[in-house]
Amino acid sequence: MNGHICGTGAYAPKNILDNQKLSQIVDTSDAWIQERTGIVSRHLVLEEDTVTMATQAAKKAIEMAGISAEEIDLIVLATCSAKRLLPCSACEVQKEIGAIHATCFDLNAACTGFLYAYNTAQAYLQSNLYKTILVIGAETLSRQVDYKDRSTCILFGDGAGAVLVKAKEQGMFSMISHSEGEKGEVLTCEQGDYIKMNGQEVFKFAVRNVPNVILEVLQKNKMKPDEIDYFILHQANKRIVEAVAKRLQVDIGKFPMNVKDYGNTSSASIPILLDEWNRKKKLKPGMKIIMAGFGAGLSWGATLIEW
Ligand code: UT7
């Protein structure tokens, strides 16, 4: 038994902060941000929060899957920016959507959170404990960013993405994931404080480890990079995605990107991109897709699925 994605949804706040406006707040420029990151604008919450955005994304995924919220057995919500510590955001989403039979919990693995949450859902499905699982990535990182620190505030945006996963006899799921707590100090956020990051170290970590973990999961399945239809990477920086494509010697066209419009939405970036590609009808049944995440922890991983 494997999980199969049968619904996707996403939500981004209407409020947009573009590079021009940002350069009036902090000493930066549109040209610098675009050249170093590929980001042009990002969505930032006004009235929304992690739970309200997650709820909107979840409702769209449930609608696409054509199921009732009461059928959901489990909700796993990946976030590192919940407004409230208790109750967990997954329980708050449960209340909003009426998923009365679901067991709910949050998972924090920073920008790798969605990937680990998806893997967790698959483990429950493979062990036949649950049949219908909602996996969400939702972040309000604008609340954790210092808009006086140009090295971080240009990067992050808010949003949520969700996938509805149902048990299926066939289908493909294979994962490799890693964590390295020893290097954790390069990207931190203390309670009540702002995100602090050594950008160059995180950049180097990503361009070295993401291609390696993708090759690991391919090797595990005796596959070659050119057998993969799309690589859905965590959207942190256009240059990171380009470096990964180059290392794998795969055409950049197989690496969808939307970092330009969203910035880095941490655990929400992969499901937001999946939903965009799905709604554009780019994802066809049987396609092989690798999702890859990386971020604070340090943590990273690659997951191979069949659409
Ligand atoms: O989800 C995972 C989390 N994080 C990431 O994936 C981030 C990974 N890292 C990065 O994406 C890049 O390291 C950054 C985009 C954060 C920075 O780009 P960089 O090419 O590594 O720049 P840098 O830190 O080496 O800085 C180069 C210069 C410095 O000036 P000097 O010392 O050369 O005079 C910085 O002070 O650029 C300056 N700088 C800026 N200038 C204009 C740094 N930030 C800015 C800015 N605007 N926003």
Side-chain angles (χ1 to χ4, degrees):
M1 196 64 78
N2 265 315
H4 182 250
I5 296 177
C6 50
T8 61
Y11 179 86
K14 286 199 179 55
N15 173 43
I16 289 174
L17 179 66
D18 64 23
N19 292 348
Q20 303 289 358
K21 279 193 239 163
L22 198 49
S23 56
Q24 290 161 13
I25 304 170
V26 71
D27 181 18
T28 189
S29 67
D30 176 45
W32 193 94
I33 301 172
Q34 283 208 46
E35 191 198 317
R36 302 290 176 121
T37 70
I39 300 167
V40 173
S41 60
R42 64 291 283 145
H43 298 255
L44 302 189
V45 293
L46 287 176
E47 280 133 30
E48 302 95 334
D49 59 45
T50 300
V51 169
T52 61
M53 293 190 296
T55 301
Q56 293 304 322
K59 282 182 175 169
K60 289 179 193 164
I62 292 165
E63 189 188 358
M64 187 189 284
I67 64 152
S68 134
E70 295 188 8
E71 290 174 57
I72 298 170
D73 303 311
L74 176 70
I75 301 176
V76 189
L77 191 153
T79 188
C80 58
S81 54
K83 189 167 141 194
R84 303 208 285 177
L85 282 178
L86 302 172
C88 70
S89 299
C91 276
E92 297 206 78
V93 172
Q94 172 194 32
K95 181 176 76 180
E96 294 302 321
I97 63 176
I100 51 172
H101 300 299
T103 296
C104 309
F105 62 86
D106 290 0
L107 182 157
N108 175 2
C111 301
T112 322
F114 176 80
L115 201 77
Y116 287 2
Y118 185 81
N119 293 343
T120 304
Q122 285 282 1
Y124 276 108
L125 289 162
Q126 289 191 341
S127 54
N128 278 321
L129 286 169
Y130 297 123
K131 296 213 171 325
T132 306
I133 303 183
L134 180 62
V135 186
I136 308 172
E139 303 282 7
T140 316
L141 284 179
S142 64
R143 299 270 188 248
Q144 288 167 207
V145 159
D146 180 1
Y147 283 90
K148 292 192 192 82
D149 175 8
R150 68 178 182 174
S151 69
T152 53
C153 74
I154 57 148
L155 297 171
F156 297 102
D158 302 331
V163 299
L164 202 291
V165 193
K166 284 194 84 168
K168 197 181 167 195
E169 290 295 341
Q170 295 94 14
M172 188 171 224
F173 167 74
S174 185
M175 53 147 275
I176 302 274
S177 63
H178 299 286
S179 301
E180 194 176 10
E182 294 231 332
K183 304 247 174 79
E185 292 309 308
V186 299
L187 180 44
T188 60
C189 185
E190 304 289 331
Q191 285 279 7
D193 200 357
Y194 296 119
I195 291 174
K196 307 248 169 20
M197 179 174 73
N198 180 334
Q200 285 191 0
E201 284 304 317
V202 178
F203 192 95
K204 279 190 262 173
F205 145 74
V207 298
R208 187 176 54 241
N209 289 288
V210 176
N212 285 346
V213 76
I214 290 174
L215 290 170
E216 273 183 83
V217 82
L218 285 169
Q219 199 176 21
K220 188 175 168 185
N221 292 278
K222 301 189 174 45
M223 289 176 78
K224 297 248 150 41
D226 63 7
E227 291 173 71
I228 300 301
D229 295 286
Y230 286 117
F231 296 82
I232 307 278
L233 266 52
H234 165 49
Q235 302 287 292
N237 185 322
K238 185 179 169 207
R239 284 161 55 218
I240 294 177
V241 179
E242 287 170 347
V244 173
K246 197 168 165 200
R247 217 355 252 298
L248 296 174
Q249 296 180 301
V250 171
D251 187 281
I252 191 70
K254 284 191 171 188
F255 288 74
M257 276 190 258
N258 63 10
V259 70
K260 174 173 159 282
D261 302 319
Y262 292 88
N264 178 346
T265 58
S266 189
S267 72
S269 82
I270 291 176
I272 290 175
L273 185 56
L274 260 186
D275 181 59
E276 186 179 326
W277 232 236
N278 190 22
R279 283 176 197 269
K280 284 182 175 162
K281 309 248 180 285
K282 303 265 191 194
L283 306 178
K284 313 263 187 246
M287 275 186 166
K288 308 285 184 293
I289 295 167
I290 284 185
M291 305 187 282
F294 55 93
L298 296 171
S299 58
W300 68 104
T303 295
L304 170 64
I305 59 168
E306 188 174 83
W307 197 253

